[in-house]
C-alpha cells in the first residue's frame, strides 16, 4: 500500500498507487470467498515453536 511508504518515496506512474484498497478489490475478494463456499481452509499444524 502506498500509504505505508515513507514520505518522499518515489513511485512509478505506470502502475496504480492507491493509498487504500478499492471497493472493487473487496468485491472480487468477497466473490472468491463465495466461490469457495464460505469455507475457511485448514492450515497445517507446525507444532511447537521454540525461540
Amino acid at each position: 500500500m502506498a500509504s505505508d511508504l515513507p514520505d518522499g518515496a518515489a513511485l512509478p506512474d505506470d502502475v496504480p498507487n492507491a493509498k487504500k484498497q478499492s471497493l472493487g478489490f473487496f468485491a472480487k475478494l468477497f466473490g472468491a470467498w463465495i466461490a469457495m463456499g464460505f469455507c475457511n481452509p485448514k492450515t497445517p499444524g507446525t507444532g511447537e515453536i521454540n525461540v
Side-chain angles (χ1 to χ4, degrees), residues 11-17:
L11 297 172
D13 292 331
D14 58 347
V15 293
N17 297 318

Side-chain angles (χ1 to χ4, degrees), residues 4-26:
D4 294 338
L5 293 173
D7 291 336
L11 297 172
D13 292 331
D14 58 347
V15 293
N17 297 318
K19 292 192 180 274
K20 297 181 180 179
Q21 286 91 358
S22 66
L23 182 61
F25 168 81
F26 285 107

Side-chain angles (χ1 to χ4, degrees), residues 20-50:
K20 297 181 180 179
Q21 286 91 358
S22 66
L23 182 61
F25 168 81
F26 285 107
K28 289 179 184 178
L29 185 64
F30 190 65
W33 194 36
I34 290 170
M36 289 174 44
F38 295 104
C39 62
N40 295 324
K42 300 281 185 199
T43 55
T46 58
E48 186 177 335
I49 299 174
N50 296 320

